[in-house]
Amino acid sequence: MNALVVPATSRPDRPISVLEVGAGTGAVTRRLVRVLRAGDRLHAVEANPRFAQRLRSDPELARRGPELGLRVSECRVQDLPEARAAESGGPGGEGGSGPAAERYDVIVSGLPFTNFAPAEVQRVLDLYLRLLVPGGELTYFSYLGTSAARLLTSGPRRGAQHRAVVRLLRRFEQEYGLGSRTAWRNVPPARAHLLRAPGGRRNATPGGGDPTGGEASAAR
C-alpha cells in the first residue's frame, strides 16, 4: 500500500490533486487521506455501486474529506466528464469544444488490467497520460505469476489476451517507468509500478534509491 501512495508523499511544495481509480472498499483511499495535507484534493472513482457507497459512508474518509475536497464518483474512469474532455480535445482538453479537462498531479490506479481486453487497457493508459499534469506520476499494481495460472484456469484464448496485456504494460513501463517494488507478503505477490508523464519534473523522492520504497499492498 505504501508504494502505491509514494507520489503523494514525495511532492512539490504546494497543494496537489490526486485521482484514485478503482478505489474498491477504500484500503488505499484511507492511506491517501492520512498522507495528504489540508488543501490537497482527492477524487476517488469506483464503478461498483456497493463499494462506492462504502466509500461515502467510511468514517475516516468523512472526517478528513472536507479538508481534501474529497469527492467520490460512481462510474468508470472513462466516463468521467474530465476524461471525455481529455479524449475529445487532446491533453488537457485543448482544442476541444467543451471545457478543459481537470488534470492531476498523481493518479493511483487499482484497476486489474489483466482482466481487460488489450484495447481497453491501452485506452485507459492513454487517458491517464492525458489527465496527468506534465511530470505527474502514476502508480498501479500487477500480480506476479498470473500468466500461467490464467492459462490453466481460463484456456488458451484468455491466456493469450492476458499475455498481450502484460506485453502492453511492459512497453508502457519501459517508456515512462521510474521503478517498481514487489510486495512478497501480498497474496498473491504483487508489484507496484511508478511512472511519470512526459513534460515537467516533480520533486525527486526524498532519500533517493528505490522510488517506490516501502511495501505495497494490492488488496482492495
PDB file of all heavy atoms in Angstrom, residues 140-170:
ATOM      1  N   TYR A 140       0.444   1.907 -10.255  1.00  0.00           N
ATOM      2  CA  TYR A 140      -0.524   0.816 -10.362  1.00  0.00           C
ATOM      3  C   TYR A 140       0.183  -0.473  -9.965  1.00  0.00           C
ATOM      4  O   TYR A 140       1.406  -0.512  -9.825  1.00  0.00           O
ATOM      5  CB  TYR A 140      -1.138   0.714 -11.758  1.00  0.00           C
ATOM      6  CG  TYR A 140      -0.179   0.484 -12.898  1.00  0.00           C
ATOM      7  CD1 TYR A 140       0.369  -0.776 -13.168  1.00  0.00           C
ATOM      8  CD2 TYR A 140       0.167   1.523 -13.758  1.00  0.00           C
ATOM      9  CE1 TYR A 140       1.224  -0.991 -14.232  1.00  0.00           C
ATOM     10  CE2 TYR A 140       1.027   1.330 -14.825  1.00  0.00           C
ATOM     11  CZ  TYR A 140       1.548   0.064 -15.058  1.00  0.00           C
ATOM     12  OH  TYR A 140       2.395  -0.138 -16.117  1.00  0.00           O
ATOM     13  N   PHE A 141      -0.602  -1.539  -9.753  1.00  0.00           N
ATOM     14  CA  PHE A 141      -0.015  -2.801  -9.326  1.00  0.00           C
ATOM     15  C   PHE A 141      -0.234  -3.882 -10.375  1.00  0.00           C
ATOM     16  O   PHE A 141      -1.105  -3.781 -11.237  1.00  0.00           O
ATOM     17  CB  PHE A 141      -0.604  -3.253  -7.983  1.00  0.00           C
ATOM     18  CG  PHE A 141      -2.045  -3.703  -8.074  1.00  0.00           C
ATOM     19  CD1 PHE A 141      -2.366  -5.017  -8.383  1.00  0.00           C
ATOM     20  CD2 PHE A 141      -3.081  -2.808  -7.845  1.00  0.00           C
ATOM     21  CE1 PHE A 141      -3.686  -5.426  -8.476  1.00  0.00           C
ATOM     22  CE2 PHE A 141      -4.415  -3.206  -7.934  1.00  0.00           C
ATOM     23  CZ  PHE A 141      -4.709  -4.517  -8.251  1.00  0.00           C
ATOM     24  N   SER A 142       0.583  -4.908 -10.292  1.00  0.00           N
ATOM     25  CA  SER A 142       0.371  -6.117 -11.093  1.00  0.00           C
ATOM     26  C   SER A 142       0.694  -7.311 -10.209  1.00  0.00           C
ATOM     27  O   SER A 142       1.544  -7.227  -9.318  1.00  0.00           O
ATOM     28  CB  SER A 142       1.265  -6.122 -12.344  1.00  0.00           C
ATOM     29  OG  SER A 142       2.640  -6.078 -11.987  1.00  0.00           O
ATOM     30  N   TYR A 143      -0.007  -8.413 -10.441  1.00  0.00           N
ATOM     31  CA  TYR A 143       0.262  -9.639  -9.699  1.00  0.00           C
ATOM     32  C   TYR A 143       1.328 -10.452 -10.415  1.00  0.00           C
ATOM     33  O   TYR A 143       1.415 -10.437 -11.652  1.00  0.00           O
ATOM     34  CB  TYR A 143      -1.014 -10.475  -9.552  1.00  0.00           C
ATOM     35  CG  TYR A 143      -2.058  -9.844  -8.672  1.00  0.00           C
ATOM     36  CD1 TYR A 143      -3.324  -9.527  -9.170  1.00  0.00           C
ATOM     37  CD2 TYR A 143      -1.789  -9.560  -7.342  1.00  0.00           C
ATOM     38  CE1 TYR A 143      -4.284  -8.947  -8.354  1.00  0.00           C
ATOM     39  CE2 TYR A 143      -2.750  -8.979  -6.518  1.00  0.00           C
ATOM     40  CZ  TYR A 143      -3.998  -8.676  -7.030  1.00  0.00           C
ATOM     41  OH  TYR A 143      -4.942  -8.103  -6.227  1.00  0.00           O
ATOM     42  N   LEU A 144       2.122 -11.181  -9.638  1.00  0.00           N
ATOM     43  CA  LEU A 144       3.188 -11.991 -10.202  1.00  0.00           C
ATOM     44  C   LEU A 144       2.697 -13.409 -10.478  1.00  0.00           C
ATOM     45  O   LEU A 144       1.880 -13.954  -9.737  1.00  0.00           O
ATOM     46  CB  LEU A 144       4.380 -12.049  -9.235  1.00  0.00           C
ATOM     47  CG  LEU A 144       4.988 -10.707  -8.822  1.00  0.00           C
ATOM     48  CD1 LEU A 144       6.221 -10.936  -7.952  1.00  0.00           C
ATOM     49  CD2 LEU A 144       5.350  -9.869 -10.039  1.00  0.00           C
ATOM     50  N   GLY A 145       3.205 -13.998 -11.558  1.00  0.00           N
ATOM     51  CA  GLY A 145       2.930 -15.398 -11.859  1.00  0.00           C
ATOM     52  C   GLY A 145       1.515 -15.689 -12.280  1.00  0.00           C
ATOM     53  O   GLY A 145       1.038 -16.830 -12.155  1.00  0.00           O
ATOM     54  N   THR A 146       0.825 -14.685 -12.822  1.00  0.00           N
ATOM     55  CA  THR A 146      -0.584 -14.897 -13.160  1.00  0.00           C
ATOM     56  C   THR A 146      -0.786 -15.449 -14.568  1.00  0.00           C
ATOM     57  O   THR A 146      -1.850 -15.981 -14.867  1.00  0.00           O
ATOM     58  CB  THR A 146      -1.378 -13.589 -13.023  1.00  0.00           C
ATOM     59  OG1 THR A 146      -0.737 -12.579 -13.823  1.00  0.00           O
ATOM     60  CG2 THR A 146      -1.412 -13.129 -11.575  1.00  0.00           C
ATOM     61  N   SER A 147       0.216 -15.322 -15.445  1.00  0.00           N
ATOM     62  CA  SER A 147       0.029 -15.783 -16.827  1.00  0.00           C
ATOM     63  C   SER A 147      -0.192 -17.289 -16.881  1.00  0.00           C
ATOM     64  O   SER A 147      -1.094 -17.779 -17.563  1.00  0.00           O
ATOM     65  CB  SER A 147       1.243 -15.398 -17.683  1.00  0.00           C
ATOM     66  OG  SER A 147       1.326 -14.001 -17.820  1.00  0.00           O
ATOM     67  N   ALA A 148       0.631 -18.033 -16.158  1.00  0.00           N
ATOM     68  CA  ALA A 148       0.488 -19.490 -16.152  1.00  0.00           C
ATOM     69  C   ALA A 148      -0.836 -19.900 -15.523  1.00  0.00           C
ATOM     70  O   ALA A 148      -1.533 -20.791 -16.014  1.00  0.00           O
ATOM     71  CB  ALA A 148       1.655 -20.124 -15.400  1.00  0.00           C
ATOM     72  N   ALA A 149      -1.210 -19.225 -14.435  1.00  0.00           N
ATOM     73  CA  ALA A 149      -2.471 -19.552 -13.776  1.00  0.00           C
ATOM     74  C   ALA A 149      -3.653 -19.252 -14.685  1.00  0.00           C
ATOM     75  O   ALA A 149      -4.618 -20.017 -14.753  1.00  0.00           O
ATOM     76  CB  ALA A 149      -2.590 -18.763 -12.469  1.00  0.00           C
ATOM     77  N   ARG A 150      -3.595 -18.146 -15.412  1.00  0.00           N
ATOM     78  CA  ARG A 150      -4.692 -17.795 -16.315  1.00  0.00           C
ATOM     79  C   ARG A 150      -4.823 -18.827 -17.432  1.00  0.00           C
ATOM     80  O   ARG A 150      -5.926 -19.181 -17.838  1.00  0.00           O
ATOM     81  CB  ARG A 150      -4.442 -16.401 -16.897  1.00  0.00           C
ATOM     82  CG  ARG A 150      -5.562 -15.869 -17.775  1.00  0.00           C
ATOM     83  CD  ARG A 150      -6.855 -15.672 -17.000  1.00  0.00           C
ATOM     84  NE  ARG A 150      -6.714 -14.753 -15.909  1.00  0.00           N
ATOM     85  CZ  ARG A 150      -6.953 -13.450 -15.984  1.00  0.00           C
ATOM     86  NH1 ARG A 150      -7.337 -12.920 -17.114  1.00  0.00           N
ATOM     87  NH2 ARG A 150      -6.830 -12.686 -14.918  1.00  0.00           N
ATOM     88  N   LEU A 151      -3.694 -19.315 -17.932  1.00  0.00           N
ATOM     89  CA  LEU A 151      -3.734 -20.323 -18.987  1.00  0.00           C
ATOM     90  C   LEU A 151      -4.366 -21.618 -18.483  1.00  0.00           C
ATOM     91  O   LEU A 151      -5.164 -22.255 -19.176  1.00  0.00           O
ATOM     92  CB  LEU A 151      -2.318 -20.594 -19.502  1.00  0.00           C
ATOM     93  CG  LEU A 151      -2.186 -21.629 -20.620  1.00  0.00           C
ATOM     94  CD1 LEU A 151      -2.976 -21.184 -21.849  1.00  0.00           C
ATOM     95  CD2 LEU A 151      -0.718 -21.835 -20.985  1.00  0.00           C
ATOM     96  N   LEU A 152      -4.043 -21.998 -17.243  1.00  0.00           N
ATOM     97  CA  LEU A 152      -4.571 -23.238 -16.679  1.00  0.00           C
ATOM     98  C   LEU A 152      -6.061 -23.141 -16.368  1.00  0.00           C
ATOM     99  O   LEU A 152      -6.801 -24.115 -16.532  1.00  0.00           O
ATOM    100  CB  LEU A 152      -3.804 -23.591 -15.404  1.00  0.00           C
ATOM    101  CG  LEU A 152      -2.354 -24.064 -15.603  1.00  0.00           C
ATOM    102  CD1 LEU A 152      -1.663 -24.205 -14.252  1.00  0.00           C
ATOM    103  CD2 LEU A 152      -2.316 -25.379 -16.357  1.00  0.00           C
ATOM    104  N   THR A 153      -6.505 -21.972 -15.914  1.00  0.00           N
ATOM    105  CA  THR A 153      -7.888 -21.854 -15.464  1.00  0.00           C
ATOM    106  C   THR A 153      -8.845 -21.338 -16.520  1.00  0.00           C
ATOM    107  O   THR A 153     -10.049 -21.556 -16.430  1.00  0.00           O
ATOM    108  CB  THR A 153      -7.961 -20.918 -14.235  1.00  0.00           C
ATOM    109  OG1 THR A 153      -7.434 -19.626 -14.596  1.00  0.00           O
ATOM    110  CG2 THR A 153      -7.153 -21.475 -13.081  1.00  0.00           C
ATOM    111  N   SER A 154      -8.327 -20.622 -17.532  1.00  0.00           N
ATOM    112  CA  SER A 154      -9.218 -19.979 -18.493  1.00  0.00           C
ATOM    113  C   SER A 154      -9.034 -20.443 -19.922  1.00  0.00           C
ATOM    114  O   SER A 154      -9.797 -20.041 -20.798  1.00  0.00           O
ATOM    115  CB  SER A 154      -9.019 -18.451 -18.432  1.00  0.00           C
ATOM    116  OG  SER A 154      -9.238 -17.970 -17.134  1.00  0.00           O
ATOM    117  N   GLY A 155      -8.017 -21.231 -20.197  1.00  0.00           N
ATOM    118  CA  GLY A 155      -7.815 -21.725 -21.545  1.00  0.00           C
ATOM    119  C   GLY A 155      -6.902 -20.839 -22.372  1.00  0.00           C
ATOM    120  O   GLY A 155      -6.554 -19.728 -21.980  1.00  0.00           O
ATOM    121  N   PRO A 156      -6.521 -21.317 -23.554  1.00  0.00           N
ATOM    122  CA  PRO A 156      -5.542 -20.611 -24.387  1.00  0.00           C
ATOM    123  C   PRO A 156      -5.972 -19.217 -24.812  1.00  0.00           C
ATOM    124  O   PRO A 156      -5.146 -18.307 -24.867  1.00  0.00           O
ATOM    125  CB  PRO A 156      -5.396 -21.535 -25.598  1.00  0.00           C
ATOM    126  CG  PRO A 156      -5.840 -22.884 -25.120  1.00  0.00           C
ATOM    127  CD  PRO A 156      -6.901 -22.618 -24.107  1.00  0.00           C
ATOM    128  N   ARG A 157      -7.255 -19.034 -25.131  1.00  0.00           N
ATOM    129  CA  ARG A 157      -7.689 -17.722 -25.632  1.00  0.00           C
ATOM    130  C   ARG A 157      -7.526 -16.650 -24.573  1.00  0.00           C
ATOM    131  O   ARG A 157      -6.979 -15.571 -24.843  1.00  0.00           O
ATOM    132  CB  ARG A 157      -9.136 -17.811 -26.106  1.00  0.00           C
ATOM    133  CG  ARG A 157      -9.641 -16.538 -26.765  1.00  0.00           C
ATOM    134  CD  ARG A 157     -11.010 -16.757 -27.375  1.00  0.00           C
ATOM    135  NE  ARG A 157     -11.509 -15.574 -28.039  1.00  0.00           N
ATOM    136  CZ  ARG A 157     -12.658 -15.506 -28.685  1.00  0.00           C
ATOM    137  NH1 ARG A 157     -13.432 -16.592 -28.762  1.00  0.00           N
ATOM    138  NH2 ARG A 157     -13.046 -14.386 -29.258  1.00  0.00           N
ATOM    139  N   ARG A 158      -8.019 -16.915 -23.366  1.00  0.00           N
ATOM    140  CA  ARG A 158      -7.882 -15.945 -22.292  1.00  0.00           C
ATOM    141  C   ARG A 158      -6.419 -15.788 -21.897  1.00  0.00           C
ATOM    142  O   ARG A 158      -5.978 -14.689 -21.547  1.00  0.00           O
ATOM    143  CB  ARG A 158      -8.708 -16.383 -21.091  1.00  0.00           C
ATOM    144  CG  ARG A 158     -10.197 -16.308 -21.301  1.00  0.00           C
ATOM    145  CD  ARG A 158     -10.719 -14.899 -21.187  1.00  0.00           C
ATOM    146  NE  ARG A 158     -10.623 -14.401 -19.819  1.00  0.00           N
ATOM    147  CZ  ARG A 158     -10.890 -13.154 -19.455  1.00  0.00           C
ATOM    148  NH1 ARG A 158     -11.266 -12.287 -20.379  1.00  0.00           N
ATOM    149  NH2 ARG A 158     -10.784 -12.769 -18.203  1.00  0.00           N
ATOM    150  N   GLY A 159      -5.677 -16.882 -21.967  1.00  0.00           N
ATOM    151  CA  GLY A 159      -4.256 -16.789 -21.659  1.00  0.00           C
ATOM    152  C   GLY A 159      -3.526 -15.886 -22.633  1.00  0.00           C
ATOM    153  O   GLY A 159      -2.655 -15.101 -22.254  1.00  0.00           O
ATOM    154  N   ALA A 160      -3.877 -15.974 -23.915  1.00  0.00           N
ATOM    155  CA  ALA A 160      -3.257 -15.121 -24.932  1.00  0.00           C
ATOM    156  C   ALA A 160      -3.607 -13.651 -24.685  1.00  0.00           C
ATOM    157  O   ALA A 160      -2.759 -12.768 -24.844  1.00  0.00           O
ATOM    158  CB  ALA A 160      -3.708 -15.556 -26.318  1.00  0.00           C
ATOM    159  N   GLN A 161      -4.859 -13.379 -24.321  1.00  0.00           N
ATOM    160  CA  GLN A 161      -5.257 -11.996 -24.024  1.00  0.00           C
ATOM    161  C   GLN A 161      -4.476 -11.473 -22.833  1.00  0.00           C
ATOM    162  O   GLN A 161      -4.002 -10.321 -22.836  1.00  0.00           O
ATOM    163  CB  GLN A 161      -6.757 -11.928 -23.735  1.00  0.00           C
ATOM    164  CG  GLN A 161      -7.213 -10.536 -23.288  1.00  0.00           C
ATOM    165  CD  GLN A 161      -8.702 -10.444 -23.073  1.00  0.00           C
ATOM    166  OE1 GLN A 161      -9.483 -10.603 -24.009  1.00  0.00           O
ATOM    167  NE2 GLN A 161      -9.122 -10.192 -21.838  1.00  0.00           N
ATOM    168  N   HIS A 162      -4.331 -12.305 -21.808  1.00  0.00           N
ATOM    169  CA  HIS A 162      -3.587 -11.921 -20.614  1.00  0.00           C
ATOM    170  C   HIS A 162      -2.152 -11.546 -20.976  1.00  0.00           C
ATOM    171  O   HIS A 162      -1.645 -10.500 -20.563  1.00  0.00           O
ATOM    172  CB  HIS A 162      -3.605 -13.085 -19.618  1.00  0.00           C
ATOM    173  CG  HIS A 162      -2.867 -12.813 -18.342  1.00  0.00           C
ATOM    174  ND1 HIS A 162      -3.491 -12.392 -17.202  1.00  0.00           N
ATOM    175  CD2 HIS A 162      -1.553 -12.910 -18.040  1.00  0.00           C
ATOM    176  CE1 HIS A 162      -2.595 -12.241 -16.245  1.00  0.00           C
ATOM    177  NE2 HIS A 162      -1.413 -12.563 -16.722  1.00  0.00           N
ATOM    178  N   ARG A 163      -1.490 -12.386 -21.771  1.00  0.00           N
ATOM    179  CA  ARG A 163      -0.098 -12.115 -22.148  1.00  0.00           C
ATOM    180  C   ARG A 163       0.009 -10.858 -22.999  1.00  0.00           C
ATOM    181  O   ARG A 163       0.981 -10.103 -22.896  1.00  0.00           O
ATOM    182  CB  ARG A 163       0.483 -13.324 -22.878  1.00  0.00           C
ATOM    183  CG  ARG A 163       0.708 -14.533 -21.969  1.00  0.00           C
ATOM    184  CD  ARG A 163       1.526 -15.600 -22.673  1.00  0.00           C
ATOM    185  NE  ARG A 163       0.824 -16.153 -23.818  1.00  0.00           N
ATOM    186  CZ  ARG A 163      -0.024 -17.177 -23.761  1.00  0.00           C
ATOM    187  NH1 ARG A 163      -0.295 -17.751 -22.596  1.00  0.00           N
ATOM    188  NH2 ARG A 163      -0.612 -17.632 -24.853  1.00  0.00           N
ATOM    189  N   ALA A 164      -0.998 -10.600 -23.834  1.00  0.00           N
ATOM    190  CA  ALA A 164      -0.985  -9.383 -24.647  1.00  0.00           C
ATOM    191  C   ALA A 164      -1.053  -8.138 -23.768  1.00  0.00           C
ATOM    192  O   ALA A 164      -0.370  -7.140 -24.034  1.00  0.00           O
ATOM    193  CB  ALA A 164      -2.150  -9.396 -25.637  1.00  0.00           C
ATOM    194  N   VAL A 165      -1.862  -8.180 -22.713  1.00  0.00           N
ATOM    195  CA  VAL A 165      -1.944  -7.053 -21.797  1.00  0.00           C
ATOM    196  C   VAL A 165      -0.629  -6.871 -21.053  1.00  0.00           C
ATOM    197  O   VAL A 165      -0.143  -5.746 -20.866  1.00  0.00           O
ATOM    198  CB  VAL A 165      -3.117  -7.237 -20.811  1.00  0.00           C
ATOM    199  CG1 VAL A 165      -3.058  -6.187 -19.698  1.00  0.00           C
ATOM    200  CG2 VAL A 165      -4.445  -7.162 -21.537  1.00  0.00           C
ATOM    201  N   VAL A 166      -0.024  -7.974 -20.631  1.00  0.00           N
ATOM    202  CA  VAL A 166       1.263  -7.892 -19.930  1.00  0.00           C
ATOM    203  C   VAL A 166       2.314  -7.245 -20.828  1.00  0.00           C
ATOM    204  O   VAL A 166       3.086  -6.382 -20.392  1.00  0.00           O
ATOM    205  CB  VAL A 166       1.715  -9.283 -19.453  1.00  0.00           C
ATOM    206  CG1 VAL A 166       3.159  -9.251 -18.948  1.00  0.00           C
ATOM    207  CG2 VAL A 166       0.785  -9.796 -18.354  1.00  0.00           C
ATOM    208  N   ARG A 167       2.360  -7.639 -22.099  1.00  0.00           N
ATOM    209  CA  ARG A 167       3.333  -7.037 -23.028  1.00  0.00           C
ATOM    210  C   ARG A 167       3.062  -5.543 -23.192  1.00  0.00           C
ATOM    211  O   ARG A 167       3.999  -4.734 -23.238  1.00  0.00           O
ATOM    212  CB  ARG A 167       3.272  -7.746 -24.382  1.00  0.00           C
ATOM    213  CG  ARG A 167       3.853  -9.154 -24.368  1.00  0.00           C
ATOM    214  CD  ARG A 167       4.070  -9.669 -25.781  1.00  0.00           C
ATOM    215  NE  ARG A 167       2.823  -9.781 -26.529  1.00  0.00           N
ATOM    216  CZ  ARG A 167       2.063 -10.877 -26.544  1.00  0.00           C
ATOM    217  NH1 ARG A 167       2.432 -11.964 -25.850  1.00  0.00           N
ATOM    218  NH2 ARG A 167       0.950 -10.916 -27.264  1.00  0.00           N
ATOM    219  N   LEU A 168       1.789  -5.170 -23.284  1.00  0.00           N
ATOM    220  CA  LEU A 168       1.430  -3.759 -23.425  1.00  0.00           C
ATOM    221  C   LEU A 168       1.911  -2.966 -22.204  1.00  0.00           C
ATOM    222  O   LEU A 168       2.496  -1.880 -22.343  1.00  0.00           O
ATOM    223  CB  LEU A 168      -0.078  -3.658 -23.585  1.00  0.00           C
ATOM    224  CG  LEU A 168      -0.730  -2.327 -23.966  1.00  0.00           C
ATOM    225  CD1 LEU A 168      -2.124  -2.586 -24.519  1.00  0.00           C
ATOM    226  CD2 LEU A 168      -0.823  -1.357 -22.801  1.00  0.00           C
ATOM    227  N   LEU A 169       1.675  -3.507 -21.016  1.00  0.00           N
ATOM    228  CA  LEU A 169       2.102  -2.826 -19.798  1.00  0.00           C
ATOM    229  C   LEU A 169       3.617  -2.710 -19.725  1.00  0.00           C
ATOM    230  O   LEU A 169       4.151  -1.668 -19.302  1.00  0.00           O
ATOM    231  CB  LEU A 169       1.574  -3.577 -18.566  1.00  0.00           C
ATOM    232  CG  LEU A 169       0.063  -3.535 -18.350  1.00  0.00           C
ATOM    233  CD1 LEU A 169      -0.339  -4.486 -17.232  1.00  0.00           C
ATOM    234  CD2 LEU A 169      -0.410  -2.111 -18.032  1.00  0.00           C
ATOM    235  N   ARG A 170       4.328  -3.764 -20.139  1.00  0.00           N
ATOM    236  CA  ARG A 170       5.801  -3.700 -20.107  1.00  0.00           C
ATOM    237  C   ARG A 170       6.315  -2.608 -21.037  1.00  0.00           C
ATOM    238  O   ARG A 170       7.265  -1.898 -20.691  1.00  0.00           O
ATOM    239  CB  ARG A 170       6.397  -5.050 -20.497  1.00  0.00           C
ATOM    240  CG  ARG A 170       6.131  -6.201 -19.579  1.00  0.00           C
ATOM    241  CD  ARG A 170       6.648  -6.019 -18.162  1.00  0.00           C
ATOM    242  NE  ARG A 170       5.712  -5.303 -17.301  1.00  0.00           N
ATOM    243  CZ  ARG A 170       4.696  -5.864 -16.673  1.00  0.00           C
ATOM    244  NH1 ARG A 170       4.487  -7.161 -16.815  1.00  0.00           N
ATOM    245  NH2 ARG A 170       3.896  -5.148 -15.900  1.00  0.00           N
TER     246      ARG A 170
END
